[in-house]
Amino acid sequence: MLNAVFSGDFPRSRILTAALILIAISLALGPFLFPGTRAFATLGMICIFIIVVASYDLMLGYTHIVSFAHTMFFGIGSYGIALALGHVGTGFGAIFIGIAGALVVSIVLSLVLGLLSLRVKAIFFALVTLAVAFAFLSLVTQLYHVTGGEDGLRVRVPRELGPAYRPLDGPLTGFNILAFLKVLVTQPWNLADGFREAFFNVNVNGRVLMYYVLVAVATLVFLFLLRLVNSPFGRVLQAIRENEFRAQALGYKTVYYRTAVVILSAALATLAGCLFALFNRYVNPENTLNFELMVFILLMCVLGGMGTLYGAVIGAVVFILAQNYLQDVLSAIGDQVAVGGFLGKLIAPEHWLLWFGLLFVVSVYFFPSGIVGQLRLRAERRQMAEEEKDSSAATDLQEKTVE
């Protein structure tokens, strides 16, 4: 059964498997393990960016198509939902109209972009997508009466997806795992009290229901892409990545395959944008169309490992956790270690971006094929070493038997 679910493409590393199981449990039980709105928002963003980065990895990692227009499709989805809920109504019908309209716009744009630009070299395609993305950002910023300009739009979600909706009569019980682990490490003699105090009430409302929609969609999209890249279609994409001329010589119309990948990737980015608008309930050019966001998506893809899909999960988790909590880590270090002078200024929380960049450089240096790629390489080397050891032992036993 697992073979069918994962399409025969398993993590192939014990450490990676353990990390993915931990992430899956954390996302599935997130509202019941991590209290607070900040943790809740972080978990939601991880689900959304798993979709975004996985769809980008389909282009970059599996087909070697470099595009800077991914955030444009993400923004089309976000603004599609915001405009539909603002003008059609606040029901689920408006949501479906917004999703359908955004998908149609994205598919048409990506089709035109793919057919016109994929016949040229990769660098020119990247430049074309960059120009189109900037043009779209400028258009959204200028059309103030439609898009709200730089002020953005507030997304009025249906009541069933809002904080006031309570599907259950009373709260459920959660367990603050981080608070318990903190007591376990710092005050092990006070473990019983720490265990009792770790329990908290979870009010299941429309926001929690929306979160589980994100978890379900992210899981389905990931499994769908896993199936796709392990299908004959996905093998053609990998053949194009390795040697496009050879794929053409074998009779494949590579432009059609590359265009199909651009359209599919754009549609998934649009879907992620729709979910972002429903979860965040506010969209503006900065949080949907900014070029900095495009760079972050690229970093998540490279950090996790291109061409693996599992790298999208690892990259999104590591990057978003660092983005949200690195300042807290630096603040805690500053409180525990009284360092003055230049070093003290360096570890100040406001300089978190400097340390974030340094961490990225170090991770790329030690994990040139991404975290997932490096873990798989390490597992393969260990397996080869064990096979050589077993082979040597069998040979020695055979020689002793002959003697």
Side-chain angles (χ1 to χ4, degrees):
M1 183 179 175
L2 284 177
N3 193 52
V5 171
F6 291 96
S7 306
D9 189 356
F10 293 102
R12 303 200 297 273
S13 164
R14 292 176 184 173
I15 298 175
L16 179 59
T17 303
L20 291 171
I21 290 174
L22 183 64
I23 291 170
I25 293 174
S26 299
L27 292 179
L29 302 176
F32 299 92
L33 294 176
F34 309 104
T37 55
R38 188 181 179 191
F40 184 75
T42 302
L43 291 169
M45 287 299 111
I46 287 174
C47 293
I48 291 168
F49 277 92
I50 284 175
I51 302 174
V52 177
V53 180
S55 62
Y56 192 69
D57 191 35
L58 183 67
M59 274 199 307
L60 182 63
Y62 283 90
T63 324
H64 272 189
I65 298 175
V66 181
S67 170
F68 293 107
H70 213 57
T71 50
M72 179 182 76
F73 299 114
F74 183 75
I76 289 173
S78 300
Y79 276 94
I81 287 292
L83 291 172
L85 287 172
H87 293 85
V88 179
T90 56
F92 287 97
I95 292 177
F96 291 124
I97 290 173
I99 293 175
L103 283 175
V104 169
V105 173
S106 290
I107 288 172
V108 171
L109 272 177
S110 57
L111 176 64
V112 173
L113 199 62
L115 289 177
L116 292 180
S117 309
L118 281 176
R119 294 177 186 275
V120 299
K121 290 184 178 179
I123 183 65
F124 295 110
F125 176 77
L127 291 176
V128 169
T129 57
L130 183 63
V132 172
F134 270 114
F136 188 81
L137 172 62
S138 177
L139 185 67
V140 170
T141 307
Q142 295 297 322
L143 294 176
Y144 183 84
H145 296 292
V146 179
T147 62
E150 294 183 354
D151 294 335
L153 296 173
R154 189 171 68 87
V155 182
R156 296 182 299 169
V157 299
R159 178 177 173 274
E160 289 78 5
L161 300 180
Y165 179 69
R166 300 291 173 89
L168 302 178
D169 294 332
L172 298 179
T173 302
F175 185 77
N176 190 341
I177 186 68
L178 293 180
F180 176 71
L181 290 176
K182 184 178 179 181
V183 172
L184 182 65
V185 173
T186 59
Q187 303 174 9
W189 59 88
N190 202 19
L191 196 59
D193 291 338
F195 182 77
R196 281 193 299 271
E197 293 172 359
F199 289 97
F200 66 98
N201 290 331
V202 180
N203 293 314
V204 178
N205 55 27
R207 294 274 293 157
V208 176
L209 296 180
M210 184 61 219
Y211 169 76
Y212 279 105
V213 171
L214 296 182
V215 174
V217 175
T219 305
L220 291 175
V221 168
F222 177 78
L223 294 177
F224 164 72
L225 289 177
L226 209 55
R227 175 64 60 89
L228 184 77
V229 298
N230 289 286
S231 67
F233 179 81
R235 293 190 182 90
V236 175
L237 298 183
Q238 293 171 51
I240 294 172
R241 178 188 63 188
E242 299 301 327
N243 192 325
E244 185 173 355
F245 293 112
R246 186 178 298 171
Q248 288 175 342
L250 290 172
Y252 293 109
K253 301 288 186 184
T254 57
V255 172
Y256 295 158
Y257 282 90
R258 286 158 62 91
T259 304
V261 166
V262 171
I263 293 172
L264 179 60
S265 180
L268 291 175
T270 304
L271 178 63
C274 295
L275 295 172
F276 172 79
L278 292 172
F279 184 72
N280 198 50
R281 296 186 295 170
Y282 173 70
V283 298
N284 68 356
E286 188 175 354
N287 63 14
T288 58
L289 297 166
N290 197 348
F291 184 71
E292 187 180 72
L293 184 63
M294 185 65 243
V295 175
F296 287 168
I297 293 170
L298 183 61
L299 291 180
M300 290 182 216
C301 195
V302 174
L303 184 64
M306 293 188 297
T308 60
L309 277 186
Y310 290 106
V313 179
I314 299 294
V317 170
V318 171
F319 188 94
I320 292 176
L321 286 180
Q323 190 182 35
N324 284 279
Y325 293 102
L326 190 56
Q327 291 187 65
D328 294 343
V329 173
L330 290 174
S331 179
I333 292 173
D335 293 339
Q336 295 296 325
V337 182
V339 180
F342 181 69
L343 184 58
K345 293 180 180 177
L346 277 182
I347 63 172
E350 58 266 24
H351 294 145
W352 70 275
L353 204 56
L354 170 69
W355 291 100
F356 186 74
L358 187 63
L359 283 175
F360 178 74
V361 172
V362 170
S363 63
V364 170
Y365 181 79
F366 286 103
F367 302 100
S369 55
I371 296 173
V372 172
Q374 203 67 22
L375 288 175
R376 283 181 166 177
L377 185 63
R378 180 181 173 186
E380 287 173 4
R381 286 174 178 169
R382 188 173 60 183
Q383 186 177 0
M384 288 175 63
E386 289 177 355
E387 287 176 357
E388 287 179 3
K389 186 178 178 182
D390 293 341
S391 178
S392 301
T395 304
D396 293 342
L397 182 62
Q398 190 175 10
E399 289 176 353
K400 287 180 181 178
T401 304
V402 172
E403 290 173 1

